[in-house]
Amino acid sequence: MSASVAVYRNIYTEDRFRQTYGTEAQSRGRERLRDRLAQRCSCSQVECVHLLKKRLPVCSWLPKYKLKKWLLGDIIAGLTVGIVHIPQGMAFALLTSVAPVYGLYTSFFPVVLYMLFGTGHHVSTGTFAVLSLMTGSVVEQLVPIPLALNSSSPEAAELEAQRIGVASAVAFLSGIMMLCMCGLQLGFLSTYLSEPIVKAFTSAAAFHVTVSQLQSMLGLRLPRYAGSFSLFKTLASVMENVPHTNLAELVISLLCLAVLVPVKEVNSRFRERLRTPIPIEIITVIIATGITYAFSLDSKYDIQIVGHIPAGFPEPRLPALETVPEIAGDTVAITLVAYAVSVSLAMIYADKHGYSIDPNQELLAHGISNTVSSLFTCFPNSATLATTNILESAGAHTQLAGLFTSLVVLIVLLLIGPLFYFLPKAVLACINVTSLRQMFLLFQDLPDLWRISKIDFMVWLVTWLSVVVLNVDLGLAIGVVFSMMTVICRTQRASCSVLGRAANTEIYRSINNHNKCYEVAGVKILTYNGPIYYGNRSFFKADMAQLLGLTPERIRSREKALEAMEKREREAINSVEQGVADSSFSSKNDLFRSEMAEGEVQAVLIDCSSVIFVDVAGARLFIQMCMECQKIGVTVYLANCNESVLKILTSSGLMNYMNPQHIFVTVHDAVVYIQQQREKPPENNTTVWV
């Protein structure tokens, strides 16, 4: 059953519509500004409580906590993630080029702080492979360790302290940057890291992580390369030193991979059936540590082990702040990646479970987390892909799960940590590689991305190749610049099309895509699907000139014809004043107008509904176009202008070259007005009917 609609109303220009339905925006705007300032500057008990709940979300969700309904899920999920944090924290510490114990610290302090300040109910924070890799590159550049250095010498301990000092300085500076971004309300900056960029970046970074772990899996002691082409340099170095592989560590790595990969696959495929995933990482760590200790593998086969892990909390100390000028550039990239990944994960699970997050509060939460934890020798942290997925699938409901996660890590720090002395580093390298499974699976999105958007596919591919071929920081910058260039190019080459009317309707569509929509006689209706600014004004001008035929030759010829007609009109007026009538004047003038009506466009109507903004250059182009149309006797009309576009056009002086009453609310209002102008003189109560 088809429905129909009939509308009978007055024709509305912008001025008439504003007079009828608008408000006195200026005076009320001042009132709103005063009220807004008064409200912001007011200090009451209600405002203080609201601010406290906004900046310390735990005060908002904890009083509403449903103990019987949520507690069990939070306990199970928190304990499960805590068990995963232990081996992953130590493993990612190796990526950061610091001792494994600092990975445990980074798995404890940020979790507690995010529980208090974060807005994501299902977000698990801690060590993240990509951030660890980026931070490790900075550490290696500033504090390289000689290959021949004895790990038990005082020099090694001093270098280790310098390394964690640099890593902590990166975390401290990253936290300060996030806090400044929060203060300036810059949470929107994460949008510049689009989904294709983030996915391509993390997938390419996974290759860097895997290649960097090959030397530990093979028992090789090789320098860590940084800068452009570091992945290929590392691969070449590994291939050259393959004959020096430690067979014992190779066997350990193969056995670990043979256990970790299948069990992780089981966890992934049957996660809906499993109440909690199998904690294969911690099981592997415990077994490998026990075997190494029982058979003295470290002394017999020269296996690299973790070594001493001190029990207890670290003493608070300032990071190596003297390195801030050298690490500032790298820290900017680390900060953007950390925030983009964290907010993306928080938004994904917030949408899934029907609640909202505050991006600026997330900046505050991660800024405090990085700044405070850096004082306890922690390296940069963020939300993590693997543990967040485990936390949500294990049944977590609120941030309280982070409390139980931190309790597990706390027990390890206070009591169990020293027992991991004999843990082989090859096991941690295998845990690093197998934890990247989700990142490698991002390649599965490419066919759908190609089908949906070829441009986004190219952004993905360029970012991925840049990160793999060059390095993580430079590749990310290239991906962002390329993505922004695609946006600029799309706005520069926006399409300009001619609209036609569907018969007996007020609907206007492009005649190129709708062959049953026909142009209105004598009226050229144009639409431009993009902003008009300095970057695309030349393209807009060329498209308009082509569609309207605004060539210099035509403008000159029409100017001459109009001047001749005006001259005849002046002569006729003079003749009438002298009492002599020119009988041929009326016939000549009518002949000119009839030729113009039959063969030429008499009015140009520009639909501005898709013009989201206009700058000064675009406004001047409008004025130029109006002047050129006037020269050939064509009247310009506008329709569907948003308020900001209309304000800029008016302020630029467009109304000096066109009638303010020629700006209409809709295209159909303008078309009906133009048609009625031809048929009869304008009336005060003009109406439009569909």
Side-chain angles (χ1 to χ4, degrees):
M1 179 179 179
S2 61
S4 60
V5 59
V7 179
Y8 185 80
R9 61 170 175 81
N10 293 331
I11 292 177
Y12 285 112
T13 63
E14 284 287 348
D15 287 342
R16 186 175 183 183
F17 188 84
R18 190 180 300 110
Q19 293 171 3
T20 306
Y21 297 103
T23 58
E24 297 180 5
Q26 189 173 1
S27 61
R28 295 197 176 187
R30 286 197 295 264
E31 293 174 2
R32 287 197 297 269
L33 180 60
R34 288 196 298 267
D35 294 341
R36 200 179 304 121
L37 289 174
Q39 185 180 6
R40 290 288 180 90
C41 296
S42 64
C43 183
S44 63
Q45 184 178 358
V46 175
E47 290 295 328
C48 289
V49 171
H50 175 72
L51 181 62
L52 179 64
K53 289 183 178 181
K54 183 178 181 181
R55 294 308 177 197
L56 195 63
V58 66
C59 297
S60 177
W61 59 262
L62 190 58
K64 303 174 184 177
Y65 192 83
K66 299 178 181 178
L67 197 64
K68 294 182 179 180
K69 186 176 181 180
W70 294 343
L71 183 60
L72 181 60
D74 284 342
I75 291 175
I76 294 175
L79 295 178
T80 303
V81 171
I83 292 172
V84 176
H85 263 309
I86 296 166
Q88 281 198 358
M90 293 190 291
F92 292 159
L94 294 183
L95 276 179
T96 317
S97 297
V98 296
V101 68
Y102 300 115
L104 295 178
Y105 298 152
T106 310
S107 299
F108 174 76
F109 292 101
V111 175
V112 176
L113 292 168
Y114 186 83
M115 180 188 69
L116 300 176
F117 295 96
T119 59
H121 299 180
H122 302 85
V123 173
S124 173
T125 58
T127 56
F128 182 43
V130 176
L131 292 186
S132 296
L133 178 70
M134 297 174 73
T135 307
S137 298
V138 178
V139 172
E140 289 290 342
Q141 289 177 13
L142 297 182
V143 192
I145 289 185
L147 296 179
L149 184 68
N150 187 351
S151 59
S152 59
S153 64
E155 293 81 3
E158 178 63 26
L159 286 174
E160 186 60 47
Q162 293 178 17
R163 286 187 158 219
I164 190 57
V166 172
S168 299
V170 174
F172 181 83
L173 185 57
S174 177
I176 294 298
M177 288 180 179
M178 289 186 184
L179 292 176
C180 292
M181 290 167 64
C182 175
L184 297 174
Q185 301 290 293
L186 297 179
F188 67 91
L189 287 179
S190 64
T191 58
Y192 289 103
L193 294 178
S194 63
E195 183 179 339
I197 290 177
V198 173
K199 288 187 174 181
F201 172 76
T202 53
S203 177
F207 280 85
H208 280 273
V209 173
T210 301
V211 171
S212 69
Q213 297 304 292
L214 288 177
Q215 57 176 312
S216 296
M217 296 170 66
L218 298 176
L220 301 174
R221 291 170 174 81
L222 304 175
R224 183 168 175 174
Y225 295 95
S228 300
F229 311 106
S230 59
L231 184 142
F232 303 102
K233 293 176 182 177
T234 304
L235 274 177
S237 178
V238 170
M239 295 301 295
E240 289 178 3
N241 290 274
V242 164
H244 305 293
T245 299
N246 187 318
L247 295 180
E249 291 192 86
L250 176 61
V251 171
I252 291 174
S253 300
L254 293 175
L255 290 175
C256 288
L257 292 175
V259 173
L260 290 170
V261 173
V263 176
K264 279 182 169 288
E265 189 66 26
V266 170
N267 285 339
S268 176
R269 293 194 177 187
F270 300 99
R271 64 179 180 181
E272 295 181 358
R273 299 183 184 180
L274 295 171
R275 185 67 181 87
T276 60
I278 302 171
I280 188 60
E281 291 95 342
I282 193 66
I283 293 174
T284 304
V285 165
I286 293 172
I287 294 175
T289 303
I291 293 176
T292 304
Y293 171 73
F295 295 96
S296 302
L297 298 182
D298 57 317
S299 58
K300 290 183 178 179
Y301 300 103
D302 194 25
I303 289 177
Q304 300 181 65
I305 58 175
V306 168
H308 176 62
I309 297 179
F313 281 109
E315 293 183 1
R317 64 178 182 180
L318 284 175
L321 298 181
E322 66 276 5
T323 62
V324 166
E326 300 173 85
I327 64 175
D330 296 296
T331 305
V332 171
I334 291 172
T335 302
L336 291 177
V337 171
Y339 177 61
V341 170
S342 300
V343 171
S344 299
L345 279 174
M347 286 183 173
I348 288 171
Y349 289 102
D351 293 340
K352 182 177 180 180
H353 292 275
Y355 61 90
S356 61
I357 67 162
D358 182 356
N360 283 301
Q361 180 62 28
E362 289 295 296
L363 270 175
L364 178 65
H366 290 287
I368 292 175
S369 176
N370 278 279
T371 304
V372 175
S373 62
S374 69
L375 303 177
F376 294 91
T377 60
C378 295
F379 49 84
N381 60 85
S382 70
T384 63
L385 296 173
T387 55
T388 297
N389 186 31
I390 293 172
L391 188 72
E392 190 267 342
S393 61
H397 297 283
T398 67
Q399 296 94 312
L400 190 65
L403 176 63
F404 302 103
T405 298
S406 58
L407 286 176
V408 174
V409 181
L410 179 62
I411 292 172
V412 174
L413 284 173
L414 296 179
L415 303 174
I416 306 176
L419 299 179
F420 293 120
Y421 181 92
F422 291 97
L423 173 62
K425 289 185 177 181
V427 175
L428 296 179
C430 293
I431 292 173
N432 271 334
V433 172
T434 55
S435 67
L436 304 174
R437 176 183 178 276
Q438 288 178 301
M439 299 183 189
F440 287 120
L441 292 179
L442 293 175
F443 280 100
Q444 296 177 349
D445 298 338
L446 286 181
D448 288 338
L449 198 60
W450 173 263
R451 178 176 53 85
I452 296 170
S453 173
K454 306 294 190 299
I455 294 178
D456 284 340
F457 178 88
M458 290 303 300
V459 171
W460 199 104
L461 190 62
V462 168
T463 304
W464 189 89
L465 289 174
S466 300
V467 174
V468 168
V469 174
L470 300 176
N471 62 16
V472 178
D473 302 340
L474 184 58
L476 177 63
I478 291 174
V480 172
V481 171
F482 181 78
S483 177
M484 295 179 70
M485 288 299 298
T486 62
V487 175
I488 294 172
C489 290
R490 278 184 277 186
T491 60
Q492 279 190 321
R493 302 299 298 172
S495 61
C496 184
S497 55
V498 179
L499 300 184
R501 180 184 178 186
N504 300 321
T505 71
E506 85 292 0
I507 300 172
Y508 296 82
R509 292 291 185 268
S510 172
I511 60 176
N512 295 329
N513 302 325
H514 304 82
N515 56 8
K516 294 184 180 180
C517 291
Y518 302 100
E519 290 190 69
V520 179
V523 182
K524 183 73 74 172
I525 308 174
L526 305 176
T527 184
Y528 191 72
N529 300 316
I532 302 172
Y533 66 109
Y534 70 93
N536 68 350
R537 64 187 301 269
S538 59
F539 299 105
F540 174 74
K541 181 180 179 180
D543 290 342
M544 288 293 180
Q546 180 182 2
L547 293 172
L548 297 176
L550 294 176
T551 60
E553 295 79 9
R554 186 187 176 208
I555 293 174
R556 284 195 297 269
S557 64
R558 294 304 297 271
E559 277 184 316
K560 292 179 181 179
L562 287 174
E563 288 174 357
M565 187 178 71
E566 291 173 356
K567 182 178 180 181
R568 287 195 298 270
E569 288 178 345
R570 288 193 298 270
E571 291 174 352
I573 293 173
N574 293 332
S575 299
V576 171
E577 290 176 350
Q578 296 173 3
V580 180
D582 185 0
S583 59
S584 64
F585 168 74
S586 178
S587 60
K588 291 178 181 177
N589 206 26
D590 291 342
L591 178 62
F592 178 83
R593 288 197 177 97
S594 64
E595 289 176 353
M596 181 177 175
E598 290 176 5
E600 302 292 341
V601 174
Q602 299 179 19
V604 173
L605 173 57
I606 301 177
D607 176 17
C608 299
S609 58
S610 298
V611 180
I612 56 176
F613 72 88
V614 174
D615 68 353
V616 175
R620 289 175 180 169
L621 183 60
F622 262 99
I623 294 174
Q624 180 184 352
M625 190 176 64
C626 285
M627 295 172 62
E628 292 179 351
C629 287
Q630 287 176 357
K631 291 178 181 178
I632 63 174
V634 176
T635 307
V636 177
Y637 299 84
L638 300 179
N640 288 323
C641 293
N642 65 54
E643 292 185 2
S644 62
V645 169
L646 192 57
K647 180 180 178 181
I648 293 176
L649 292 178
T650 304
S651 302
S652 300
L654 180 64
M655 296 305 107
N656 297 329
Y657 300 90
M658 69 177 295
N659 190 340
Q661 300 303 315
H662 288 177
I663 303 176
F664 293 87
V665 175
T666 69
V667 172
H668 194 57
D669 283 88
V671 170
V672 173
Y673 174 83
I674 295 170
Q675 291 176 332
Q676 291 182 352
Q677 287 289 96
R678 289 188 200 163
E679 297 171 359
K680 58 182 179 181
E683 298 178 0
N684 293 330
N685 195 22
T686 313
T687 57
V688 57
W689 177 78
V690 179

